Amino acid sequence: MMNDSLQPHDVSVDLINSQILGKPGLHTLQIRDGVVKTIATKPDPAAAVIDVGGDWISLGGIDLQINGGLGLAFPELTGENHQQLQGICEYLWHQGVDGFLPTIVTTTVEKFRRSLAILGEFQGDRKGEAAEILGVHLEGPFLNEQKRGAHPENCLLPLTIDNVKRVLGDYEKVVKVMTLAPELDPTKTVIPYLRSLGIIVSLGHSQANLAVANEAFNQGATMVTHAFNAMPPLHHREPGLLGAALCRSEVFCGAIADGHHVCPTMLDLLLRGSKGEIFVVSDALAPLGLADGVYPWDERRIEVTGGVARLEDGTLAGTTLSLLRGAENLVRWGICSAAEAIALVTETPRRAIALSTEIIGQPITRLLRWREDQGCLRGQRLRIGVRI
């Protein structure tokens, strides 16, 4: 057994009886000098060996939609929040998240630009054991008023290239994903423009019908924001935005697996019926990491009960549950195998934003260990010598 006090760069060990995504059977994960060297069928006779007893080993989670944490909402960022941002990154890392897209929900143009500037500056300044900011997700302000959900109506803007430029300012390189309602653009020019900037277009908070959604996907949109939520329901005569997405192999659909945003039965149908790929997001709000209670949210307040956040009028606003909890829920509900659930929070979101899913060459600090026991799944950071 290895000594827990060893630093990651010192670790050279074979993890035997490991389950690895995409590789049937049990394998040996060979780690040399703290980095995954190879996946083998049997250990090196000269190596130190740890038997992980059939537990799954994976890369860390990737959260493509998270609105804040530890009391800080990303639209409210100021120059004073550097330490809080570092604290959020550290918190997420300990929750098993390797990287994330800070999500700026609908707010004023001034706040969009200020938050983009601060997040852009912070991206390269992360220290130590901390999740990486992979870019920013703009969820608004180009949303359909009828499907705005908890987004403030007074900050919504018409979907035009000029307004997109106003919001982005000089920070288009910071933005990785933009959620928009495609039916708001009669010119059909905005999606191609965003794609020319390298921004992934996600459809959401939308009333788009099947024809409009298909046109948007043909123009280059490749993602759907929180499937089922803030869009028309699936209907046998008008499948709508989600119906269009499920028939396209190139489209990635995000989903919230907290049991409140979407009924588990519908999540089961989503996973069974999609030609594309599904990934899980936390959609966590600023009280992530804090106790249930009432918290400020822009000029309004949200109440968090059991990890579910609602506005004072009862409108569902988000969650305060961790990303990995979504995978654990899907196994507990009997919807997914452990391998399928783990992939939904680790590999699929990586593919959605064109990140490598290769485990070989990754530092041991980026690995998760998942234990499956009697229909329950639990994941956490791999610690040498510690069994979960």
Side-chain angles (χ1 to χ4, degrees), residues 151-162:
H151 291 246
E153 182 178 4
N154 63 310
C155 292
L156 297 176
L157 291 176
L159 181 54
T160 66
I161 289 178
D162 285 344

Side-chain angles (χ1 to χ4, degrees), residues 203-353:
L203 307 185
H205 289 275
S206 167
Q207 287 278 43
N209 61 23
L210 183 68
V212 171
N214 274 325
E215 187 170 23
F217 291 131
N218 289 339
Q219 290 172 345
T222 56
M223 196 180 287
V224 170
T225 296
H226 45 51
F228 291 109
N229 298 118
M231 63 188 62
L234 283 171
H235 189 278
H236 60 286
R237 291 195 185 95
E238 177 44 75
L241 165 56
L242 187 54
L246 297 183
C247 291
R248 288 179 168 263
S249 59
E250 78 276 15
V251 173
F252 292 82
C253 291
I256 305 168
D258 64 346
H260 296 274
H261 280 75
V262 183
C263 172
T265 298
M266 296 307 289
L267 287 172
D268 194 1
L269 289 173
L270 180 72
L271 289 162
R272 290 171 185 266
S274 177
K275 284 186 178 179
E277 295 195 78
I278 312 299
F279 60 89
V280 167
V281 297
S282 71
D283 196 34
L285 298 180
L288 174 69
L290 306 180
D292 284 1
V294 177
Y295 295 93
W297 199 53
D298 53 48
E299 287 74 41
R300 300 165 291 174
R301 296 193 304 171
I302 51 174
E303 182 172 0
V304 180
T305 304
V308 180
R310 296 181 183 272
L311 297 179
E312 292 174 288
D313 66 2
T315 301
L316 198 56
T319 77
T320 58
L321 300 179
S322 70
L323 177 69
L324 268 57
R325 179 74 67 85
E328 293 165 358
N329 283 342
L330 290 168
V331 171
R332 180 166 56 86
W333 296 332
I335 293 174
C336 285
S337 69
E340 291 166 335
I342 293 166
L344 292 176
V345 297
T346 61
E347 291 198 346
T348 315
R350 280 181 166 84
R351 283 195 289 272
I353 59 171

Side-chain angles (χ1 to χ4, degrees), residues 126-188:
R126 174 182 56 96
K127 298 179 177 66
E129 294 183 338
E132 181 181 357
I133 292 176
L134 302 169
V136 175
H137 180 171
L138 297 188
E139 190 184 355
F142 309 111
L143 311 178
N144 192 307
E145 179 184 340
Q146 298 174 58
K147 290 294 182 183
R148 63 186 173 86
H151 291 246
E153 182 178 4
N154 63 310
C155 292
L156 297 176
L157 291 176
L159 181 54
T160 66
I161 289 178
D162 285 344
N163 278 337
V164 168
K165 290 178 177 178
R166 282 181 60 207
V167 169
L168 294 178
D170 296 325
Y171 308 108
E172 68 270 9
K173 287 186 169 42
V174 179
V175 177
K176 178 70 72 174
V177 175
M178 180 182 284
T179 294
L180 55 80
E183 69 274 19
L184 302 183
D185 176 23
T187 69
K188 315 300 181 192

